[in-house]
Amino acid sequence: MGETGREALLAFAEELRRLRQLAGGPSLNTLVAVAARRGRPLARSTLSDKLNAKSLPDWDFVTDYLGACVAYAEQAGARLPAELTDPGRWEAAHWRLLAAADAARADDRLAAAALAERGRRVGAGSAPPATAAPAPFVPRQLPAAVRHFAGRSAPLAALTALLTELPGPPGTVPVSTIGGTAGVGKTALAVHWAHQVAHRFPDGQLYVDLRGFDPEVSALSPAEAVAGFLEALAVPPERIPVGLAAQAALYRSLLADRRVLVLLDNARDADQVRPLLPSSPGCLVLVTSRNQLPGLVTAEGARPLPLGLLSPAEGRELLSRRLGAGRVAAEPEAVDRIVAAAAGLPLALAIVAARAASYPDFRLDRFAAELTASRGALDAFDGGEAGVDVRAVLSWSYRGLDPAAADLFRAFGTHPGPDVSVPAAASLAALSPAEVRRPLAVLTRANLLTEHAPGRYALHDLLRAYAVELAVTTDSAKLRRAVLCRLLDHYLHTAYAAALLLHKHRDDIDLPAAHPGTAVVAPADRDEAWAWLAAEHRVLLAAIGLAVEHGLPTHAWQVAWSVNTYLDRVGAWADQSRAQELALRAATTAGDRDGQARAHRNRAIACLRLGAYDEAHEHLDRSRRLYAELGDRVGGGRTELNLGILAERQGDHRRALDHAQRAHRLFEAAGHAQGLANALNNIGWYHIQLGDYPRALDYCGQALVRQQQTGNRYWEAHAWDSLGFAHHHLGRHRDALDCFRQALALWRETGERYYESVTLMHVGESHQAGAEPDAARAAWGQALDVLDQLGHPDAALVRGRLDATSSAPQ
C-alpha cells in the first residue's frame, strides 16, 4: 500500500476508535460479546488489527462494528450522535479508504476488466486467468484524417516543435490551443498532425467533440466528456464514481506516468477544458476552439496557435489534390475564381471539390460561374471576419442534391445529436432503413454529412445550422412537426421494447401510436437490447429534452421511463436523475398524474443510489400520494417496496419491514401475483436483518413458490438467495449452500453477473462458518473474478476479505 493509502487507513482506524470511545469505551472482549448476541460475531484478533490499522476493514466488519457500538451505547443508556450512526456516512468514508489503498492497482484491474468483459460480450471466451499479466488497454480514438490534406506547413511545424521542448515541472502537461473561425480546418489540422505523431504516444490517443458551438445541441459538459474518456480507458460505468471531481481524479490517476495524446475538439471555454487536462508531463493536449481561450494560455501556459484562412496557393493545392493536378492546371482562371468564392475556407473548398469530382466531364468554369452567381452570407456563422462567406457554397451544394437527399438534409436539423443511426434517419425521412441508405450515401459523398462510425452519421455545426435554416424557410410548420414526432416515436418505441427485454416483468405503460413512416427497431434479445441502449443512451437523453422543448410531454416522460432501467444498472445515476427531473417537469405541465407518480419514483431511485436519502424520501412520498389518488395499488405497492429499501439503507430494518408489509397488503388487494411475491421476499429479508430466521424462512419460502408460478426467474433467484442467507444464520450450512447453488444457476441463466457475485460471497460465508476455509476462499475468488470483469467497486471489498483471510493464523 502506498503512503496515501497508509495515511487513509490510519485516519479510518482513528475514526473507528473514536466511535468506540463515544459509545462508552467498551473493552474489546465486551464488544465481541455484544456482537455475538446480535448474531454478527466479531473476532477479537480482527478487532485489534482493524483498530490498530494493521489491515483493511471490509464493509461487513464496519457494519458489524457500528452495530455493536450502537447496541452497547443503548444498553448503557447513552445515545450516539446521529451522524456517527449513519451507515451512509461510514460507507462513503470506507469507499474513500479503499480508493486510496487500491489506487496503485487501478490500471491493471481496469484493463483486465475491459478485456474480460469485451471477450464475454462477443463470445470470444472467458477472461484470462487471474495470475496472467493483463495486456495494457490502449485507446485509439482519433477520427479518420482528411485524405487530401493540403498546406498548413507552418502550423504543422509549430505543433511538431512541442515534442522537442523540455518537459515541464511535475504535475504539468503541455497544451496547445488551435483557434480560428468556423470551418477553417482546426479539426482537420489537429487530427492530421495527431495521426502523424501517434507513435510518439504509445499509451494511446483520446478524442472528444465538446460541441462548444453547436447551435442546436448544448455543449458537452466536462462530466460527460470525462465519463467518455473513462469508458475509453476501459472503466465500466459501474466503476465510474459520482461527481465531476471524483471522475476527473480517476481520469488523472489512470493517465499518471503514461504518454497519451488528448485531443479536445470544439471547446467553448477554458472551464470546459480544465477538468479534462491530465497531470502527466508525458501527455500532450491539443484543444481546438473558435475562441482564443486566454484563460488556458494565462493559467495553464497553453501555446496558442491561431489558424487563418488558406492562402490562394494552399487553396489551389487542396483542389489539385482532390481533383487531380491536370484538371486544375487546365483552367487556372476558373480555379482562382473558385478559391476566391470559397474565401479560403477549407470546408467550402471541400464541398466544391466534392461536387466537381462527381462530374469529372464538367468544366471547372461552370462551377465557378454558379458560385459567383449565388453568393450570400451565412450570417450566424461568419466568424466576424470579412470575406468568410459560406452560404453560397452550401446552398450551391444543396441545390445539387436530388429531392430525397435534400429532404433528408433538412430533416437532419431536427435531430438533437450527437449522432444519428440509420433507423433514426429513416424515421426523419419517412423511409425504410433500406431506402434511406441511398440519400445518406449521397449526403456523405457531398461532404454534407460524415459517417464517423459505421452506420452512425453526424453534421458539422455549420451544416446543421444551414439545415435548420433551410427547413424553416422551405418546410411548413406542420411538416416539421411531423418529422419531429416520427423521430421521437422511433426513440420511444424502440427504447420501450429494449426496456422490457432488460426487465421482463416491469409494469407496462400505454404508448401513443407511432406516426406513419416511423422506423421502430425490435431488439431480438436482451443482449441486443443492451447494445442498442448503450449506443443510443446519450441521444435518448437529448431526445427527452427535445420533447420537453417542443411540448410533447408524454414522449418526454415515457422515453425517460424506458431508459431508466439501463441507466440504473450501469450506474449512470446522475444521468438518470436529470432524465427523471425533465420527465417530472413534462408530466406536471401536462397534468399527467400517472407520469408524475412514475417520474417521482424513478427520480427517488436515482437519489437513493447517489446517497441523497432525504430527497429520495420526498419523491417517494409524493409518488405514494399520487398513486393513492389514482387508486393504483400496484404503483403504491412498488413505492412502498422502494421506501423499504431506503429504510434499509438508513439502517432502520424495522421501518423497512413495515413498508414491505404495506406493499404486501396493496399487492394482495390488487391481486398482483408478481408484486405479492416480491413483497413476501422483502419481508423475509428484513426478518433476516432483524434476527428472526425461522419467520424469514417461511416468508422467503412462500415468495419462492409464487415466483416459480409467475415464471420470473430473476426474482426466483433472489428468493433462493434469501432462503440460503436465512439457513446460514441458523447454522444450516449445507441447506444454505444448496439454496445458493440454485440462485447461482438462475443468475447465470438470466445473465445477472453482479448478483452472481453477491451469492458467491454468501457461499463463501457459509463455507467459512462450516470450517471450510479453502472452499470459502475459492468462492470469494470467483466473486472477485466476476466483479473484476465488471469493473465493479465491490471488488475492493472482496479483495480486502481475501487479503484478511490469507493473513489470518491457520
Side-chain angles (χ1 to χ4, degrees), residues 498 501-502 521-534:
L501 285 168
L502 258 60
V521 178
D525 53 29
R526 184 182 183 279
D527 286 344
E528 195 170 304
W530 188 273
W532 186 87
L533 288 163

Side-chain angles (χ1 to χ4, degrees), residues 51-77:
L51 295 176
N52 291 295
K54 293 180 180 178
S55 61
L56 281 170
D58 58 52
W59 181 238
D60 284 344
F61 167 82
V62 175
T63 56
D64 292 346
Y65 180 82
L66 174 62
C69 287
V70 171
Y72 180 81
E74 290 175 347
Q75 291 171 13

